[in-house]
Amino acid sequence: MALTAAPAGGASASAVPAAAPAAARLASWPSPSGQQAVGATINVSGTYDGKLKRYYGTGALGSGGQQEGQSPIFKLADGAVLKNVVLGSPAADGIHCTGTCTLQNVWWEDVGEDAATFKGTSSSQTMTVDGGGARAASDKVFQHNGPGTMVIKNFQVQNFGKLYRS
């Protein structure tokens, strides 16, 4: 399913044709290649390839709670790309995107407060989520704060409250 949404709440979605084989519609959940505890936010500019390693919060990032204002595991600068990452539990506030950014093949095993939050400041900025998936999001998967556009495509969710909130 592809979802393109603007902060005004307008959204359009298009599904993969029903005749498409199941394998074409859903990717397999990956097996992490290793794991890394994260005690402080990892700041990303440029491209960060996690090589499908599992990242999980410890210390201040390790509560696993639903309270607002938590720090993220990853914070992406304007223009950053984060790819091939598995966020384990606890995942704190997942990923924060501070401008145009791209998430490619990013997976959340157990969403914390949010999987990812778009904090763009310009209507020309876009957060693109391409591939990956999220499980166990008791509240929401993606939070969109401010102007700009969010594009979600080739993404799967299981056991979630809301896919997107702006």
Side-chain angles (χ1 to χ4, degrees), residues 1 16 20-29 107 132-133 154-158:
M1 175 178 209
V16 173
R25 289 183 275 164
L26 298 174
S28 297
W29 284 81
W107 301 85
N154 306 314
F155 188 82
Q156 56 186 303
V157 293
Q158 297 175 349

Side-chain angles (χ1 to χ4, degrees), residues 75-165:
K75 183 176 181 182
L76 280 58
D78 188 32
V81 176
L82 180 66
K83 64 183 187 175
N84 303 318
V85 165
V86 177
L87 282 100
S89 180
D93 202 26
I95 299 167
H96 287 182
C97 179
T98 60
T100 292
C101 70
T102 302
L103 306 179
Q104 296 174 336
N105 197 38
V106 175
W107 301 85
W108 289 263
E109 295 176 325
D110 185 351
V111 173
E113 166 52 21
D114 300 321
T117 302
F118 182 35
K119 298 180 173 245
T121 57
S122 168
S123 61
S124 66
Q125 293 174 322
T126 301
M127 179 178 186
T128 302
V129 178
D130 189 359
R135 292 178 172 155
S138 62
D139 185 13
K140 61 200 166 301
V141 178
F142 297 111
Q143 175 72 35
H144 187 165
N145 299 337
T149 302
M150 178 165 299
V151 177
I152 303 167
K153 59 185 180 179
N154 306 314
F155 188 82
Q156 56 186 303
V157 293
Q158 297 175 349
N159 302 322
F160 63 103
K162 293 173 258 341
L163 175 62
Y164 171 85
R165 178 166 58 196

